[in-house]
Amino acid sequence: MSTGAADEGAWVLGVDSGGSGLRVALGWQQADVGASPRPAGSVTCAEPVRTNASGIDPAHMAEQLVPAVRTLLAEAEAEFEPGSGMPAAAGARRGPGPRIAAACVGAAGMATLGDGLRAELPGLLAREFRVRRLALAADAVTAYAGALGEQPGAVVAAGTGMIAMGSDLATWRRADGWGHLLGDCGSGAWIGRAGLEAAMRAHDGRAGGSTALRDRAETVFGVPLSGLPGRLYPRTDRPAVLASFAPEVARCAERDHVAAGILRAAAREIAASAVAVCPSGDTTRPSGSEGTVCSSSGGEVLDEGLRGVRGGTPVRVAFTGGLFAMGEPLLGPLRAELAEQLPQARVVEATGGPLDGALLLAGRLATGGVALPPDPALLRLTDAPGTA
C-alpha cells in the first residue's frame, strides 16, 4: 500500500461489533493531529459476532472482519485517484500486503467478554494488514468518542440496551449496561417488558393493566396472550423481542396513562444514569454544583425549554442511539427529568455514532495518541506485534 510520505497521512480502520452485526469502515487520516479521518468506505456484516463460554469469539469475528477489510482496501485502490487527497490502497507497490497504520475495534461486551479479542486481534491485524497500533474498546467508549470526540463529559447510549459512560479524561465512570435481567433501565427492552407486563395485567384483569397495550400486544404477537411466555422464553434474542414492543408503548402513550407512565419512568432512569456518570465537580446534581451540555441523536433535539440556564462550566452530555428516535413521547418526559436532575443542562446534537468513534480513535492513534483515558477492560491501547 502506498501511504505517501510519513507527513501526508495514513490509512486507519474502525470496527463496530454489536447485536445488529459487524460494521467496518476505512478512512484516510491526514498527518494533521487535529483532523478527523476522511471516510473511504464501509462494509456491514449482518450476522452478529458469536459469543461462547469463553466470551466473544475471535475466530468468528476474523471470518467476517478480514474479508470486509480486504474489500474496502480493494475499493479504495480502485476509486481514489492521485490528487484526490487519499492515495490508492495498494498502488503499484509489490511485496507485503497493504498496511493500515492504526485500527480501533469497538465491541459490545468487550469489558466483560473480550479476553479472546484482546489476545487474538493484535496478532491477526498485524499479520493480515500490518497494523501498527490498535485500540480495543467497549462499544460504550466508541459511542462516547463518536458523540463527544475527546472532550470530558458523559454519554448515554440507548437502544435495545442502555449504558452511560462519563470521563474527565483521567478516568471513566460507568452506569448500567448490565443487561435486560439486571439493568438496562430505561432501554428499549426495559420499556417493552414494562409494556408487555401491563398488557398481561389487563389480560388477567389485575390492577395496573392497560387495555390499549393489551390490544397492541395481541396484534403484534397474536392471541391469546396466554401463549406469549411460550413464544418469548425459549428465544435467544429476548432483549430484542422485548425492545420491539417499545414503539407500541410510545404509540399508546398519548391516550393511555399506563403507557405514558412507563415512558416517564424510563426518562427518569435515563436521566439518573447521566447524572451518575457526569465528571465530579463539572455537573449539577440535584444537590447543586455546575452544569452540563446534553445532546441527542435520532433526529430529535432535547433542549427546547432548557436554554439559557444560569452559570456553571458546561460539560457535554450526549444522548445517542436508536431509542431516542422514539420522539416526543419519550423526549418530553426526558426534558422534564433533565430539568429536575440536571437543572443547568442545555442540549446540543451528538456528532456521530460508535463507528464514527472507532474511526476517530484509530485516527488519533495514527497521529500520536488518544486523549481518552486507557483502561484494561474499556479501552486497551496496544502496539501490534511484528510491525516495527
Side-chain angles (χ1 to χ4, degrees):
M1 177 179 68
S2 172
T3 59
D7 61 351
E8 292 178 357
W11 289 103
V12 295
L13 184 73
V15 180
D16 175 44
S17 175
S20 59
L22 184 76
R23 297 186 300 152
V24 186
L26 183 69
W28 178 251
Q29 176 64 54
Q30 296 287 352
D32 179 4
V33 173
S36 295
R38 179 179 170 187
S42 64
V43 171
T44 298
C45 306
E47 182 182 5
V49 175
R50 292 191 294 263
T51 58
N52 53 39
S54 300
I56 303 169
D57 185 348
H60 189 228
M61 178 175 282
E63 288 174 10
Q64 301 184 70
L65 178 59
V66 171
V69 177
R70 288 176 178 160
T71 295
L72 288 169
L73 289 169
E75 290 176 351
E77 178 182 7
E79 293 178 12
F80 296 106
E81 301 297 332
S84 69
M86 286 188 279
R93 182 172 181 160
R94 296 293 182 265
R99 167 176 284 179
I100 293 172
C104 175
V105 178
M110 179 71 81
T112 54
L113 301 172
D115 286 347
L117 298 184
R118 286 185 281 268
E120 298 295 333
L121 284 186
L124 171 75
L125 291 173
R127 289 190 305 272
E128 295 289 342
F129 306 109
R130 299 194 296 152
V131 170
R132 295 193 297 255
R133 306 200 68 196
L134 176 64
L136 297 170
D139 62 339
V141 170
T142 53
Y144 184 106
L148 297 184
E150 295 182 296
Q151 300 298 316
V155 169
V156 178
T160 297
M162 201 284 297
I163 187 170
M165 295 292 296
S167 180
D168 57 4
L169 302 189
T171 60
W172 289 102
R173 290 185 177 191
R174 170 181 173 165
D176 215 334
W178 306 122
H180 74 291
L181 294 178
L182 299 178
D184 285 356
C185 298
S187 68
W190 190 93
I191 292 170
R193 194 215 62 81
L196 288 173
E197 179 188 336
M200 299 307 293
R201 286 177 174 272
H203 172 76
D204 294 345
R206 291 180 287 144
S210 163
T211 56
L213 290 172
R214 180 199 63 197
D215 293 345
R216 293 307 307 153
E218 289 174 347
T219 299
V220 171
F221 295 103
V223 292
L225 283 185
S226 58
L228 181 58
R231 294 187 182 186
L232 177 61
Y233 294 160
R235 295 186 60 156
T236 59
D237 60 344
R238 287 185 297 275
V241 176
L242 292 171
S244 72
F245 195 67
E248 303 297 337
V249 177
R251 292 185 185 103
C252 291
E254 184 176 351
R255 65 183 188 279
D256 182 79
H257 75 278
V258 174
I262 291 169
L263 295 184
R264 286 195 300 271
R268 189 159 53 248
E269 296 288 355
I270 293 166
S273 289
V275 170
V277 301
C278 282
S280 59
D282 290 323
T283 65
T284 299
R285 309 295 172 89
S287 59
S289 178
E290 293 179 298
T292 75
V293 177
C294 302
S295 66
S296 168
S297 66
E300 298 281 354
V301 179
L302 298 175
D303 67 343
E304 188 176 1
L306 295 176
R307 299 182 187 274
V309 291
R310 65 189 183 280
T313 302
V315 174
R316 292 177 178 85
V317 179
F319 295 86
T320 184
L323 185 70
F324 300 105
M326 192 177 289
E328 191 61 20
L330 177 63
L331 299 184
L334 184 53
R335 282 196 296 271
E337 288 296 332
L338 291 173
E340 175 68 23
Q341 298 191 44
L342 296 171
Q344 291 177 280
R346 70 179 178 87
V347 179
V348 298
E349 290 284 348
T351 57
L355 188 59
D356 302 301
L359 204 58
L360 175 67
L361 292 174
R364 294 296 185 262
L365 279 177
T367 55
V370 173
L372 296 178
D375 180 273
L378 296 171
L379 180 59
R380 180 173 294 189
L381 309 178
T382 69
D383 290 318
T387 59

